């Protein structure tokens, strides 16, 4: 029997490379941390583990955020946009999101001004 | 002569379709409003006019956000990510960002729960 109050999982519109862009936002501060991509498998890992997973296009592999740096993203909520072709991860970011040491990958303006906060030294985190 | 204090515009890494994903975030509330795409031309229009422009992949044309709805996005700041392959628009959103009437296109969780706020009636805005 159908249940009118039942929620339906939104359809996801993966692109021809079977990817969706995923934005990570700090659930507390609202800071937009990064944009990466997910496959269906990466999204499943995210939902099952409660830790943000992506798909690395350059390394061509499933990627657990913080796997090498320890700077994981604990998932507070996963949202989908109206067309089902973008994902929003609301996360509790451990350390910083950016491999350069900044809290957010969006630490520069388009004019080149640095507006972000550096929260770790990448030389001490990545060996 | 070079000037050490001079800022350099970050290089942008447009993809093979000459696009970059662009995230729009409400500059006041921090709400992530939408994800769309920009061409170099769209980004130039954004910077020149102070109003968010995108490139519509479905309509294959430059797209001024709010051109038909009036729900424009006044630009507070444009940021670039570490790899130059994503853009963040910090905006003052007039009306709602989503064509469905919600403030944000990310108004649903991946489980289908509606968590966003509806701020206009699309039947009254789009004719």
């Amino acid at each position: 029997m159908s249940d009118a109050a039942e929620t339906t999982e939104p359809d996801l519109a993966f692109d021809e490379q079977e990817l969706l862009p995923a934005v990570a936002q700090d659930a507390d501060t609202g800071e937009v941390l990064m944009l990466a991509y997910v496959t269906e498998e990466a999204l499943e890992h995210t939902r099952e583990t409660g830790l943000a997973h992506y798909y690395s296009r350059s390394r061509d592999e499933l990627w657990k955020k913080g796997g090498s740096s320890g700077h994981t993203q604990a998932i507070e909520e996963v949202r989908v946009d109206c067309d089902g072709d973008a994902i929003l991860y609301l996360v509790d970011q451990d350390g910083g999101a950016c491999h350069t040491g900044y809290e957010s990958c969006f630490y520069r303006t388009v004019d080149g001004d640095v507006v972000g906060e550096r929260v770790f030294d990448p030389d001490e985190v990545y060996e």
Side-chain angles (χ1 to χ4, degrees), chain A:
Chain A
M1 288 203 309
S2 67
D3 179 354
E6 195 179 328
T7 55
T8 308
E9 289 197 9
D11 289 332
L12 299 180
F14 289 92
D15 69 13
E16 62 278 5
Q17 276 115 42
E18 301 183 356
L19 297 174
L20 281 183
V23 178
Q25 180 180 31
D26 189 297
D28 283 332
T29 66
E31 181 103 1
V32 173
L33 298 170
M34 57 185 280
L35 184 149
Y37 293 84
V38 294
T39 53
E40 193 169 356
E41 184 191 17
L43 188 56
E44 279 172 9
H45 273 72
T46 298
R47 298 180 71 181
E48 286 168 8
T49 64
L51 293 172
H53 286 69
Y54 301 94
Y55 185 79
S56 169
R57 298 180 301 169
S58 56
R59 296 192 305 273
D60 194 20
E61 64 181 19
L62 180 69
W63 161 37
K64 176 188 166 186
K65 175 66 183 166
S68 44
S69 66
H71 294 175
T72 53
Q73 296 176 334
I75 295 288
E76 298 278 333
E77 195 167 86
V78 178
R79 294 190 191 164
V80 179
D81 80 347
C82 50
D83 298 324
D85 60 6
I87 294 286
L88 177 64
Y89 285 166
L90 293 169
V91 304
D92 178 9
Q93 173 71 57
D94 204 336
C98 190
H99 72 287
T100 60
Y102 285 92
E103 184 176 22
S104 163
C105 294
F106 295 97
Y107 63 89
R108 295 171 301 175
T109 70
V110 74
D111 295 316
D113 296 321
V114 172
V115 291
E117 190 188 353
R118 203 146 193 210
V119 292
F120 70 89
D121 179 351
D123 288 340
E124 293 179 3
V125 169
Y126 302 99
E127 292 179 4

